[in-house]
Amino acid sequence: MKPENPRRVKIFDITLRDGSQSKVATRIKLEDLLKVASLLADSGIYGAETWGGATFDVCVRYLREDPWERARRLKAAMPNVQNMMLIRGQNLVAYSNFPDDVVNKFVHVAARNGIDVFRIFDALDDMRNHEAVIRAVKEVGKTAEGAVCYTISPVHTIEKFVSKARQLEDKGVDQIAIKDMAGLIDPATAFELVSSLKKAVSVPIHLHTHDNCGLGMMSVLKAVEAGCDMVDSVLSPFSGGTGHPCTESIVFSLHKFGYETGCDLAKLTKAAEEAKNVRALYSEFEAPYSGVDCKMLVTQIPGGVMSNLSSQLRQQNALDRMSEIVDEIPRVREDLGWIPLVTPTSQIVVSQATFNVLLGRYKIIANHTANLLKGLYGETPAPVNSELQSRVLKTEKPVTVRPAELLPPMWHELEEKFPGLTEEEILIHAIFPHEAPGYFESKK
């Protein structure tokens, strides 16, 4: 059924960042990304996710490519497209909190290097961890997109997601993303959630989902029907399974339904052909299985988490304990306040569950687990296990303030420590201090 008043749905193609991360471990080199980017630029897409997430880490650690050059050159290749990055709130592109002055500097430098849209999320959905990034994005005149992490648990309801979105709007975001990092949102829930958000907030709504459970395309269409303004998708060679709904299929379907996208299907198909050639160059980084896996509808454990866990257990000759660990993961997640399973909380939950099975329940409490119980990551969606919290706190009090308020300013000290370096180079040292020396040595 076609809408009575056709409207435009903005397409964000995310092949160059999350598509690559979900299918070939972010290993695609810049020169190959540019082959696809130049064709996407001419296809009519509104935006493209090009940076953030694991790209900064992989550039420095494995590819030995300048992450800042990646941002600059992809923007240069697509000057007419809104270039978006995924930023982990106060964690930036790493796995722990940074002081506000470093967060501010990072956002200013990223904007200068070509980032137009900053998609901000926090692993605990503690909206206080968005604040410093939102302020900095507004200072540089770019677009702040606050993300609400979609997950399933006894405490995660439509009302809770809407409440989080209202908090983000109050903090000044320009648009709100539903970040379904595990592909769990179903068509009925997508329609209900978007409908509720459109009534509760006045800023545009953007849907990000994966296709792990085969629900992606259906959920996108129902979200659009409910009034969703923007959707994420990837070119067909990177679509499906651990990837995302297909850009060409979404554009074709939306046009059939009477929506406008501004996209040229023939030009998208040409970009997809190039993307197919590029993906073939990186087959060694393909996951053993990256198709649809509906077990997630029962376990709610992302496929990437499962593949990493199986690899680690195989190395420890403990693969036969996998089913016990899978059963333990939701119990640990409940103990830790029903936190979403997204970087870095997914790693925290899985590591603790593994310790519990192999060594005995909470015989060892990992450092990251302890820090989470202390409140150093922020406020959890539900109260944590009080007995475990008492064990790690001892005589201390849990942290109740925004965690970054406990961190002293750091930028001036970094400038003194690394004289003569550019702000971009200093930030590489600040974010990945252990990997930076090897990276810069390789660049000589």
Side-chain angles (χ1 to χ4, degrees), residues 263-334:
C263 294
D264 184 318
L265 188 59
K267 291 180 178 180
L268 283 172
T269 302
K270 187 176 180 182
E273 283 298 312
E274 187 60 47
K276 181 180 180 181
N277 296 334
V278 167
R279 181 174 173 178
L281 300 174
Y282 296 89
S283 58
E284 65 183 293
F285 299 108
E286 297 270 359
Y289 179 71
S290 63
V292 171
D293 183 0
C294 289
K295 288 198 300 290
M296 283 182 56
L297 293 173
V298 178
T299 66
Q300 296 160 27
I301 302 168
V305 172
M306 292 295 290
S307 62
N308 288 336
L309 176 59
S310 62
S311 175
Q312 292 163 10
L313 290 176
R314 189 176 293 110
Q315 293 171 6
Q316 299 173 42
N317 294 316
L319 198 55
D320 59 321
R321 311 297 297 275
M322 170 71 92
S323 61
E324 296 173 71
I325 294 170
V326 169
D327 290 340
E328 178 67 5
I329 285 172
R331 292 193 285 266
V332 171
R333 189 178 171 218
E334 180 178 6

Side-chain angles (χ1 to χ4, degrees), residues 148 158 161-166 176-178 192-203 205:
V148 175
I158 295 294
F161 295 130
V162 169
S163 173
K164 296 289 186 181
R166 284 198 181 107
I176 289 171
I178 302 166
E192 183 182 3
L193 179 53
V194 172
S195 297
S196 298
L197 288 171
K198 294 298 287 186
K199 293 174 184 175
V201 299
S202 59
V203 296
I205 305 301

Side-chain angles (χ1 to χ4, degrees), residues 48-118:
E49 188 185 39
T50 57
W51 210 61
T55 58
F56 203 100
D57 188 348
V58 171
C59 280
V60 172
R61 192 187 305 266
Y62 300 115
L63 299 180
R64 302 303 200 194
E65 290 185 348
D66 182 355
W68 302 104
E69 181 186 6
R70 174 176 293 219
R72 288 193 301 273
R73 293 186 63 189
L74 286 172
K75 178 59 182 176
M78 300 184 290
N80 57 321
V81 173
Q82 290 287 294
N83 279 226
M84 180 172 70
M85 79 162 291
L86 180 67
I87 185 167
R88 298 168 181 154
Q90 207 77 28
N91 291 183
L92 299 178
V93 287
Y95 313 100
S96 57
N97 288 333
F98 289 91
D100 287 348
D101 62 336
V102 175
V103 170
N104 184 275
K105 182 62 67 175
F106 180 89
V107 170
H108 278 250
V109 174
R112 186 172 71 214
N113 279 271
I115 301 303
D116 303 302
V117 181
F118 292 77

Side-chain angles (χ1 to χ4, degrees), residues 14 18 119 178-181 206-210 232 244:
I14 60 174
D18 207 3
R119 173 177 287 168
I178 302 166
K179 180 175 168 56
D180 175 25
M181 55 277 178
H206 190 164
L207 176 63
H208 170 90
T209 188
H210 289 247
D232 283 355
H244 312 76

Side-chain angles (χ1 to χ4, degrees), residues 325-368:
I325 294 170
V326 169
D327 290 340
E328 178 67 5
I329 285 172
R331 292 193 285 266
V332 171
R333 189 178 171 218
E334 180 178 6
D335 288 338
L336 299 183
W338 290 112
I339 54 179
L341 292 175
V342 62
T343 302
T345 50
S346 56
Q347 291 86 341
I348 294 172
V349 170
V350 171
S351 296
Q352 188 62 57
T354 304
F355 285 141
N356 288 359
V357 168
L358 299 183
L359 305 174
R361 290 207 90 223
Y362 297 109
K363 294 292 185 184
I364 290 179
I365 297 179
N367 288 336
H368 290 300

